[in-house]
Amino acid sequence: MFAFRQLAFLRSKYINCSTLRFNSSYTPRRALLYVPGDDVRKISKIKEFDVDCIVLDCEDGVALSKKSQAREEISAFLSSGFGNGKSEIAVRLNSIESGMFEEDLSNVVCHKYPSTIVLPKLSSPAEAKFFAESLQKRVPREKLKAPINLIFISESCQSIIRLPEICESLVELSRKTGVFEPVAIIFGSDDLCASLGATRTKSSNEILYARQRMVLVAKAYGLQAIDMVHIDYKDLEGLKISSEEGARFGYTGKQIIHPSQIDIVQKCFIPSEDKVAWATQLLEEFAMFQSEGKGAFVFRNQMIDMPTVKQAKNILDVIRKIESIENKSSNK
């Protein structure tokens, strides 16, 4: 409720931009909460979580001996249509290299199509092609109301280095097959550290280059960038620092592993009051200069051109979309 009150305040004070195009297809993913697919107790609590995205997990959160149970529980959950009415429900499959991917696809995704798939350890265009072809074989385009959203996890040296190639491949395969649409990249820090042979530290300086490269490539392809997990779920102050840093880097959200992390993370990825004021005033002046036939203009002692205008518009699109979701939730 705090977030809703904050958004309502920001809107009443600053947002009066009814003529702006509202990006209704944007789905906020400020926090992605992993829920083990074999844990019935945790799945039953989903209705209590006020979080942007819930990821039902078949992969790292599930023991090898429990994979079949996870598939059954997730499939039953998707078939029931049960949810909390607020969260995007995604399914994280096992990786292609694991040898369990196709079984997940056949027993989970193809039984009841989820709106979103999370694909871990995607490392090459060849794996992207295998994913697309496997999905296309099992999911007829005519049976989908909309393409399935794809969020993939970059968590190896090869993946980080080849990110532009992977994104190019996914964009092309999405157009070709029509059964999925890439929407976000997740930064998998711990597997990357293992791939590097690096020691994970509190500062995360050992993976700074990869962390910044990932958000750069994601934004270049119009994808959301989801930051690394803060593993110590009891360290809420450290979580706040890490979330604020990720937001400054340009990340749009963060992975979380415990409900206690939801509120802190989602607040950190709401545009600040100052940013909303800046964006609103900039767009008002932009509209005025456009009506006068002028292009670039000066705003707060800075020369403004179209990329900056787009940044301002994105800020308002995000906050209006979040407000819309919060509003629907509060009225239920």
Side-chain angles (χ1 to χ4, degrees), residues 264-283:
I264 289 173
V265 169
Q266 296 204 152
K267 286 175 185 174
C268 287
F269 288 96
I270 292 176
S272 68
E273 180 179 332
D274 288 343
K275 276 191 173 182
V276 174
W278 170 84
T280 304
Q281 292 165 11
L282 186 151
L283 289 171

Side-chain angles (χ1 to χ4, degrees), residues 50 71 82-83 97 117 126 137 140 146 157 182 207 210 224 233 256 278 291 316:
D50 190 5
R71 294 183 190 109
F82 175 78
E97 67 179 10
I117 289 174
K137 285 177 186 176
C157 296
I207 49 175
Q224 294 178 25
Y233 70 88
I256 59 174
W278 170 84
S291 67
L316 296 193

Side-chain angles (χ1 to χ4, degrees), residues 88-133:
E88 174 185 35
I89 303 296
V91 177
R92 177 163 72 167
L93 308 178
N94 286 283
S95 66
I96 291 169
E97 67 179 10
S98 72
M100 294 179 281
F101 165 76
E102 290 190 276
E103 194 170 355
D104 289 344
L105 204 58
S106 297
N107 290 281
V108 179
V109 173
C110 299
H111 185 67
K112 178 69 175 179
Y113 308 138
S115 64
T116 305
I117 289 174
V118 177
L119 182 63
K121 299 177 177 64
L122 187 61
S123 297
S124 68
E127 288 186 344
K129 186 171 185 287
F130 183 84
F131 163 78
E133 291 176 348

Side-chain angles (χ1 to χ4, degrees), residues 3-62:
F4 174 65
R5 289 196 298 269
Q6 181 186 22
L7 291 166
F9 167 74
L10 290 172
R11 182 180 183 185
S12 64
K13 188 171 183 181
Y14 295 119
I15 301 177
N16 184 22
C17 303
S18 58
T19 58
L20 292 176
R21 178 181 171 272
F22 177 46
N23 183 11
S24 59
S25 64
Y26 183 88
T27 300
R29 298 181 178 95
R30 292 167 295 165
L32 278 76
L33 174 65
Y34 291 105
V35 177
D38 64 318
D39 196 323
V40 178
R41 183 184 65 85
K42 289 181 179 177
I43 291 175
S44 69
K45 290 189 173 185
I46 283 176
K47 61 181 180 295
E48 302 172 13
F49 303 147
D50 190 5
V51 61
D52 286 349
C53 182
I54 292 170
V55 181
L56 298 171
D57 194 13
C58 282
E59 200 218 9
D60 284 349
V62 178

Side-chain angles (χ1 to χ4, degrees), residues 3 7 9 23 29 51 117 136 139 151 153 228 230 267 285 304 313 328:
L7 291 166
F9 167 74
N23 183 11
R29 298 181 178 95
V51 61
I117 289 174
Q136 187 180 29
V139 180
I151 301 172
I153 308 179
M228 59 189 181
H230 189 75
K267 286 175 185 174
E285 294 206 17
I304 304 299
K313 181 184 176 299
K328 286 179 183 177

Side-chain angles (χ1 to χ4, degrees), residues 227-260:
D227 203 7
M228 59 189 181
V229 171
H230 189 75
I231 296 173
D232 185 356
Y233 70 88
K234 293 183 179 180
D235 176 24
L236 299 183
E237 182 58 33
L239 174 68
K240 184 172 183 289
I241 292 170
S242 176
S243 299
E244 289 173 342
E245 181 179 64
R248 288 195 300 271
F249 281 6
Y251 279 89
T252 52
K254 191 173 185 68
Q255 304 166 85
I256 59 174
I257 54 175
H258 195 274
S260 64

Side-chain angles (χ1 to χ4, degrees), residues 107-265:
N107 290 281
V108 179
V109 173
C110 299
H111 185 67
K112 178 69 175 179
Y113 308 138
S115 64
T116 305
I117 289 174
V118 177
L119 182 63
K121 299 177 177 64
L122 187 61
S123 297
S124 68
E127 288 186 344
K129 186 171 185 287
F130 183 84
F131 163 78
E133 291 176 348
S134 298
L135 188 65
Q136 187 180 29
K137 285 177 186 176
R138 293 168 174 81
V139 180
R141 177 65 185 92
E142 60 272 13
K143 290 191 176 182
L144 293 173
K145 293 180 180 178
I148 295 172
N149 296 321
L150 173 66
I151 301 172
F152 74 91
I153 308 179
S154 182
E155 46 192 325
S156 69
C157 296
Q158 183 185 23
S159 180
I160 293 293
I161 293 299
R162 302 189 72 181
L163 262 182
E165 296 175 63
I166 294 168
C167 290
E168 289 277 3
S169 178
L170 286 171
V171 169
E172 181 58 31
L173 289 163
S174 172
R175 290 173 183 157
K176 182 179 178 181
T177 65
V179 295
F180 77 95
E181 180 181 0
V183 295
I185 312 175
I186 292 173
F187 181 50
S189 57
D190 293 290
D191 279 272
L192 177 62
C193 279
S195 179
L196 285 167
T199 301
R200 180 73 185 272
T201 64
K202 207 165 189 177
S203 70
S204 299
N205 285 338
E206 66 280 356
I207 49 175
L208 178 61
Y209 165 73
R211 192 179 176 201
Q212 292 180 324
R213 175 178 171 82
M214 206 213 79
V215 73
L216 178 70
V217 175
K219 296 305 179 70
Y221 287 89
L223 305 176
Q224 294 178 25
I226 312 300
D227 203 7
M228 59 189 181
V229 171
H230 189 75
I231 296 173
D232 185 356
Y233 70 88
K234 293 183 179 180
D235 176 24
L236 299 183
E237 182 58 33
L239 174 68
K240 184 172 183 289
I241 292 170
S242 176
S243 299
E244 289 173 342
E245 181 179 64
R248 288 195 300 271
F249 281 6
Y251 279 89
T252 52
K254 191 173 185 68
Q255 304 166 85
I256 59 174
I257 54 175
H258 195 274
S260 64
Q261 298 176 313
I262 294 172
D263 196 44
I264 289 173
V265 169

